Amino acid sequence: MEQPLAAGLYIVATPIGNLGDVSARVSAILGGVAAVACEDTRVTGKLLNHLGIKARLVRYDDHASDATREHLLGMAATSAIALVSDAGTPLISDPGYRLVKAARDRGIAVTSIPGPSAAIVALTLAGLPSDRFLFAGFLPNKDKARRDVLAELGGVKATLVFYETAPRLEDSLAAIGDVLPGRDVAVARELTKKFEECRSGSPADLIAHYAAHPPKGEIVLLVGPPGAVETSGEDADALLKEALATLKPSQAAAEVARATGLDRKALYARALELK
Ligand code: SAM
């Protein structure tokens, strides 16, 4: 007979579109816990049905009342409790952080059962440098806030990974084109599903493509690091001239440095020449 699971909180990743991605360990844990905390009982109910598992479901998100969290922590202190999100890895742009922190603060065992996360699946597909990446969740909805975040992250020498939605894709691509000119971009859509697609190009190319083929479904947007593409002197001049049309030489140099990874001081000297 199988050993009962040790008491504690089990963070369980679930498929992001392909039910075949449920591992044997995920099935065993979900089948062995006393309750499953989830965002939406209907969504998780369908997954458990598919796996032939009957489990008590408790709705939970990080805005849940303290009483709900206390209730789950009380159960996790003496029995095995799972946390899942609608899809993918809990805590990754999904609820769970507050529950895990509270469990750890109280000495309740926390175990993570790994599985799919759209950010990682996209990073492995996009053909952008994967040695350093920065996952930044969803970009803000408002244009100014979105551009501010892109400017803040622009100097990071890493591939940037964002979650995105179809209706906002064009605006985000336009903001990336303006704030981080010259970067490689990839759009990874419907990962692990029938119409999975990963398309790379410049923001302008991608905007044109999706204007002709309106994007559907779930999207991860990736922006290559500065300097990933070698920038020729001519390219740098073109970017500087474009920036100088609206910015002071120091600002133009900073913007092009952020986009290309080229030396800001050298770009400033060149901007003064071009002005
Ligand atoms: N925790 C989840 C994970 O680990 O992937 C992410 C949850 S977040 C609320 C939902 C976002 O993840 C979607 O808006 C989309 O950006 C991305 N996403 C989830 N599934 C996806 C898929 N199959 N293909 C592309 N992006 C996906």
Side-chain angles (χ1 to χ4, degrees):
M1 200 177 112
E2 301 243 331
Q3 290 275 333
L5 285 174
L9 177 64
Y10 292 77
I11 307 301
V12 182
T14 56
I16 57 170
N18 188 325
L19 290 172
D21 291 335
V22 176
S23 70
R25 187 168 177 225
V26 163
S27 286
I29 299 284
L30 290 177
V33 292
V36 178
C38 58
E39 295 180 88
D40 184 328
T41 52
R42 281 166 311 176
V43 172
T44 300
K46 274 191 202 155
L47 173 70
L48 295 183
N49 247 346
H50 168 81
L51 299 174
I53 292 171
K54 279 199 172 36
R56 177 175 162 203
L57 296 175
V58 181
R59 220 191 76 70
Y60 176 79
D61 63 35
D62 278 337
H63 307 293
S65 67
D66 287 347
T68 306
R69 197 162 24 253
E70 284 309 315
H71 175 61
L72 287 171
L73 291 167
M75 285 199 279
T78 54
S79 55
I81 300 297
L83 173 72
V84 300
S85 42
D86 283 352
T89 300
L91 282 86
I92 307 302
S93 287
D94 263 339
Y97 159 69
R98 294 183 66 183
L99 187 64
V100 168
K101 172 148 179 35
R104 293 185 66 86
D105 286 349
R106 284 170 204 203
I108 293 170
V110 181
T111 308
S112 190
I113 317 301
S117 183
I120 299 297
V121 179
L123 187 67
T124 60
L125 273 181
L128 291 170
S130 56
D131 52 338
R132 295 183 89 206
F133 66 94
L134 189 148
F135 170 67
F138 288 91
L139 280 164
N141 261 323
K142 297 224 165 89
D143 194 51
K144 159 102 176 59
R146 178 161 45 214
R147 286 166 188 257
D148 287 349
V149 169
L150 288 169
E152 179 196 332
L153 298 177
V156 178
K157 289 187 167 42
T159 292
L160 305 176
V161 184
F162 300 102
Y163 284 158
E164 194 44 273
T165 62
R168 302 183 344 161
L169 179 63
E170 184 183 342
D171 288 346
S172 292
L173 287 169
I176 291 165
D178 291 344
V179 180
L180 304 173
R183 297 280 184 102
D184 288 335
V185 174
V187 173
R189 223 170 46 76
E190 293 292 86
L191 297 168
T192 76
K193 303 184 199 176
K194 186 168 174 197
F195 296 107
E196 173 173 302
E197 152 186 91
C198 184
R199 185 169 287 275
S200 335
S202 69
D205 292 343
L206 292 166
I207 288 172
H209 173 82
Y210 288 113
H213 309 91
K216 290 197 187 121
E218 302 193 277
I219 292 172
V220 182
L221 182 54
L222 304 99
V223 181
V229 177
E230 218 147 276
T231 314
S232 69
E234 274 169 28
D235 289 346
D237 276 3
L239 291 170
L240 271 177
K241 280 184 195 155
E242 199 182 319
L244 282 167
T246 52
L247 299 173
K248 290 194 282 193
S250 60
Q251 294 169 322
E255 184 179 293
V256 176
R258 202 166 54 217
T260 60
L262 294 174
D263 180 63
R264 191 172 55 82
K265 279 192 188 151
L267 287 166
Y268 179 58
R270 183 69 183 141
L272 292 176
E273 284 170 18
L274 290 171
K275 185 86 183 156

